[in-house]
């Protein structure tokens, strides 16, 4: 068996320790004589798994008591509809469009009410985060929506927008648990877990408790109400049991690593190695404004499509997988999530240096 360095944007690399534990427990999970895959979600054994996962997440993120943690299905994309259905009391919301995911959320919200695009960076291929210090926030906006780390373009908000008192809703799919956050600044902070936390097919939504009500848009399906999931401890129907179990193990791994402050330092260190190289390289260059660079997703190009393709091909042969950029932007992208070891980034930079020497 040989593991590659996997730079996929998602589903993505998971901590090897976690994968080994999952493998070891595949026939007998916690002395039950069965796999978690075979376990009733109503069993005390599974209840212990989900309770422990929530407890560890609360500890890691320092989640205040007036926030609920929901383990939901439908990925991050279902939240694009669920958020307006549950929050649009006035039928108005403001969207800051900084990439494809924010744009999709904005387009979806239009189906349910008046969604206003109050800022965008589309004019420069989403290569920067707009100034959000004094935006024309709508007086009757039910919330202001952002995508905090733009997975495809590699930008990240370094300061949250001034929402002028309105509720902030944030998609943190690709920066979830990469650094400490102040949960109390958000109404909803949510993320699909397959980027930086666990397997595909689940989203964790951390929702301020006063936003969870029966006052939703008419016709909202039962499964789309935060309240039904909250009232039932994320088990109104059968949850994604395996995913909750793996995420729980990742939370333990993060705690053992020293928590989110330590992860932030590690992530900064890793990203610096790659960005410093890009800044001095004569062949490669980063594609986004320096102040807005993501610690998680690092897009870069040579400026020559054929050379980009050659790089991706040779990198793959050398054991660096999934470096091709998103189909909408081309070039390359290295996603260097929590579980990517620093050795992986150093090895990638060494490989890039060698490629540069051979191709300049
Ligand atoms: C991947 C991604 C999504 C979509 O996630 P799904 O789980 O596939 O619906 C949404 N937002 C961001 C920021 C993402 O990176």
């Amino acid at each position: 068996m040989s593991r590659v360095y996997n730079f996929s944007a998602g589903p993505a690399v998971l901590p090897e320790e976690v994968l080994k534990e999952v493998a070891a427990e595949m026939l007998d999970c916690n002395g039950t004589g069965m796999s978690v895959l075979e376990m009733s979600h109503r069993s005390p054994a599974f209840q212990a798994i989900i309770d422990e996962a929530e407890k560890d997440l609360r500890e890691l993120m320092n989640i205040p008591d007036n926030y609920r943690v929901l383990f939901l299905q439908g990925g991050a994309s279902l939240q694009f509809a669920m958020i307006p259905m549950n929050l649009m009391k006035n039928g108005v919301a403001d969207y800051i469009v900084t990439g494809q995911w924010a744009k999709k959320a904005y387009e979806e919200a239009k189906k349910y009410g008046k969604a206003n695009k109050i800022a965008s960076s589309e004019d420069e291929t989403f290569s920067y985060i707009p100034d959000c210090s004094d935006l024309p926030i709508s007086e009757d906006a039910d919330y202001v929506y952002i995508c905090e780390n733009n997975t495809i373009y590699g930008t990240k908000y370094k300061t949250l927008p001034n929402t002028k008192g309105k509720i902030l809703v944030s998609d943190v799919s690709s920066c979830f648990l990469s650094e400490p956050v102040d949960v109390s600044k958000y109404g909803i902070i949510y993320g699909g877990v397959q980027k930086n936390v666990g397997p595909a097919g689940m989203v964790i939504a951390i929702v301020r408790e006063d936003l969870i009500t029966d006052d939703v848009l008419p016709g909202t399906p039962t499964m789309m109400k935060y309240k039904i999931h909250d009232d039932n401890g994320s088990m109104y129907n059968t949850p994604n049991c395996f995913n909750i179990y793996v995420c729980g193990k990742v939370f333990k791994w993060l705690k053992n690593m020293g928590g989110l402050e330590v992860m932030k330092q590690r992530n900064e260190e890793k990203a610096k190695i790659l960005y410093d190289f890009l800044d001095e390289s004569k062949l490669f260059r980063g594609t986004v404004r320096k102040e807005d660079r993501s610690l998680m997703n690092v897009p870069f190009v040579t400026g020559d499509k054929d050379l980009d393709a050659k790089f991706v091909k040779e990198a793959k042969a050398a054991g660096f997988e999934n470096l091709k950029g998103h189909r909408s932007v081309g070039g390359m992208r290295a996603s260097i999530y929590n579980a990517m070891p620093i050795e992986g980034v150093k090895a990638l930079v060494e490989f890039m240096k060698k490629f540069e020497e051979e191709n300049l």
Side-chain angles (χ1 to χ4, degrees):
M1 184 203 67
S2 79
R3 302 253 310 153
V4 296
Y5 285 123
N6 179 8
F7 294 93
S8 170
V13 58
L14 287 168
E16 218 165 281
E17 295 91 321
V18 168
L19 296 174
K20 283 182 177 151
E21 257 183 62
V22 170
E25 292 178 2
M26 198 40 84
L27 297 182
D28 178 5
C29 179
N30 300 336
T32 58
M34 63 177 90
S35 160
V36 68
L37 294 168
E38 305 166 295
M39 207 178 267
S40 165
H41 60 297
R42 306 290 176 203
S43 64
F46 187 74
Q47 189 65 52
I49 289 172
I50 190 171
D51 287 348
E52 185 99 353
E54 174 168 346
K55 184 176 133 295
D56 286 335
L57 181 65
R58 284 188 174 276
E59 221 173 282
L60 272 173
M61 293 182 72
N62 205 3
I63 299 173
D65 288 342
N66 64 325
Y67 283 75
R68 317 296 302 194
V69 173
L70 305 176
F71 298 97
L72 307 171
Q73 297 178 68
S77 299
L78 198 66
Q79 293 306 304
F80 300 169
M82 217 160 148
I83 288 159
M85 284 179 152
N86 284 268
L87 261 50
M88 269 191 173
K89 319 286 177 195
N90 299 326
V92 181
D94 289 346
Y95 279 73
I96 302 174
V97 177
T98 52
Q100 295 294 348
W101 296 117
K103 196 173 177 178
K104 280 188 177 160
Y106 163 64
E107 295 295 339
E108 189 71 12
K110 281 187 192 167
K111 295 185 177 174
Y112 305 103
K114 191 164 179 291
N116 304 305
K117 192 192 323 183
I118 54 167
S120 167
S121 52
E122 194 162 12
D123 58 339
E124 288 178 37
T125 344
F126 299 120
S127 60
Y128 69 103
I129 299 289
D131 177 2
C132 298
S133 57
D134 186 19
L135 293 172
I137 307 284
S138 311
E139 216 145 273
D140 51 353
D142 291 304
Y143 60 91
V144 175
Y145 183 99
I146 62 168
C147 176
E148 206 159 319
N149 185 81
N150 296 280
T151 325
I152 296 173
Y153 302 93
T155 59
K156 162 130 202 297
Y157 286 80
K158 299 295 159 77
T159 48
L160 292 175
N162 174 6
T163 64
K164 304 184 179 171
K166 302 298 181 194
I167 293 161
L168 178 65
V169 174
S170 178
D171 175 356
V172 295
S173 295
S174 48
C175 59
F176 215 175
L177 303 177
S178 63
E179 57 184 298
V181 292
D182 181 353
V183 173
S184 71
K185 290 190 171 145
Y186 304 83
I188 300 180
I189 175 167
Y190 80 94
V193 299
Q194 77 276 25
K195 307 291 161 67
N196 201 25
V197 188
M202 190 170 78
V203 60
I204 297 177
I206 301 162
V207 187
R208 211 174 67 202
E209 118 197 307
D210 59 293
L211 302 177
I212 302 179
T213 67
D214 280 316
D215 179 22
V216 297
L217 295 187
T220 297
T222 307
M223 276 292 286
M224 303 281 280
K225 285 174 65 176
Y226 288 125
K227 188 151 194 313
I228 199 84
H229 295 288
D230 184 39
D231 285 349
N232 291 279
S234 295
M235 292 203 267
Y236 168 68
N237 71 325
T238 320
N240 191 334
C241 300
F242 182 68
N243 204 320
I244 293 166
Y245 159 84
V246 178
C247 285
K249 291 206 177 295
V250 172
F251 301 156
K252 292 260 185 251
W253 179 79
L254 289 166
K255 282 174 68 179
N256 284 337
M257 296 290 289
L260 300 190
E261 198 59 63
V262 172
M263 292 318 292
K264 180 184 186 201
Q265 285 164 20
R266 275 172 50 103
N267 288 327
E268 282 173 348
E269 195 186 339
K270 282 188 299 183
K272 187 173 187 308
I273 293 168
L274 191 44
Y275 284 126
D276 281 355
F277 171 69
L278 289 172
D279 288 344
E280 68 178 33
S281 171
K282 292 189 176 63
L283 183 65
F284 299 100
R285 63 177 172 84
T287 55
V288 308
R289 189 162 75 183
K290 281 187 188 176
E291 328 60 291
D292 302 326
R293 282 171 164 175
S294 165
L295 293 182
M296 297 281 103
N297 310 100
V298 183
F300 56 95
V301 294
T302 63
D304 173 340
K305 275 200 178 98
D306 295 335
L307 203 53
D308 286 351
K310 184 174 182 230
F311 175 78
V312 170
K313 189 163 166 248
E314 290 183 11
K316 186 178 164 66
F320 304 97
E321 287 275 351
N322 292 310
L323 281 166
K324 196 168 188 291
H326 189 268
R327 59 189 185 281
S328 65
V329 281
M332 282 72 73
R333 171 179 51 174
S335 295
I336 49 175
Y337 296 122
N338 282 341
M340 171 59 65
I342 193 161
E343 296 75 38
V345 180
K346 285 182 179 161
L348 174 64
V349 167
E350 285 314 307
F351 179 82
M352 290 169 77
K353 282 182 183 160
K354 188 167 135 282
F355 186 90
E356 176 167 326
E357 277 164 25
E358 291 164 5
N359 290 276
L360 205 59

